[in-house]
Amino acid sequence: MTLLLNLFRSFLPPQDEARERAEQYLAQARDIFELERRMNHLAHAAPGNW
């Protein structure tokens, strides 16, 4: 199963991987204030993600 999933992901464009990492980073926020801080950080660090 993991091999099949990795094979599928290898065909995805890198932008999707960056977006997935950004979503995981945002999902780790403990509260709304940390979520807003992380969103702001992502918005200024890599404007191409959004």
Side-chain angles (χ1 to χ4, degrees):
M1 180 72 168
T2 304
L3 180 62
L4 183 59
L5 186 58
N6 288 338
L7 180 62
F8 178 71
R9 286 185 178 177
S10 70
F11 293 112
L12 295 175
Q15 184 180 12
D16 289 342
E17 291 177 17
R19 186 171 190 91
E20 185 176 325
R21 281 194 310 269
E23 288 177 6
Q24 289 175 354
Y25 174 68
L26 293 174
Q28 293 173 353
R30 290 173 285 187
D31 56 24
I32 190 69
F33 301 109
E34 186 176 355
L35 177 62
E36 288 181 4
R37 182 183 58 81
R38 288 176 182 233
M39 289 172 62
N40 193 17
H41 176 257
L42 285 176
H44 292 292
N49 286 346
W50 308 105

